Amino acid sequence: MSDRNFDPDATREVADTDVPAIASTYDGLSQVVVDAGENLEGGVSKEMQGVFTEYHLLLRNAVVETTENLERLSDSLLQIAEDDELAEGEIVQELNALADDVETAYAEQGYTPMTAETESADLAPAPSEYDNELGGGSGTRSEAQPVQEN
């Protein structure tokens, strides 16, 4: 699994607090830019009028569109937080189902599943067919076997 952490509550906080503050700042900025355009006539020479108007329209559109995008971003982040919670719930369900399958399948073979309260010393050694094949004897790997010298 990935080492990424998705915290739906943190995402909601950004959507409810940070994004609206940034959007408000851009809204104020967009009003300044729009006001500057209204005062454009007579503010620059006739030679610069075309270039300045083109620049002003580009800046105004960028600021106004950014404001609109930020206003919609909060709703998107809230949806992402909800989706993250749903995905996390599905992952937990899948892991629990797999744990149940493992517990059922391997209990028949002598494995003891661990719980949060189980200490490793409380577990019986897992059986291993390889110990017998290698001449180790008892069929459990955790029991130390004396080394035989030739």
Side-chain angles (χ1 to χ4, degrees), residues 56-71:
H56 175 263
L57 290 174
L58 178 67
L59 179 62
R60 187 198 68 191
N61 289 345
V63 174
V64 169
E65 288 174 14
T66 300
T67 302
E68 292 170 356
N69 288 337
L70 285 168
E71 289 169 351

Side-chain angles (χ1 to χ4, degrees), residues 86-144:
L86 290 173
E88 184 177 346
E90 290 173 2
I91 290 169
V92 168
Q93 273 185 321
E94 287 293 321
L95 287 175
N96 287 338
L98 287 171
D100 290 344
D101 290 348
V102 167
E103 184 176 340
T104 302
Y106 291 108
E108 296 170 0
Q109 298 177 26
Y111 290 97
T112 307
M114 287 186 75
T115 64
E117 296 79 28
T118 307
E119 297 289 329
S120 60
D122 298 338
L123 296 173
S128 171
E129 65 218 40
Y130 300 110
D131 289 325
N132 287 330
E133 290 178 17
L134 297 172
S138 71
T140 61
R141 290 181 178 252
S142 66
E143 296 175 5

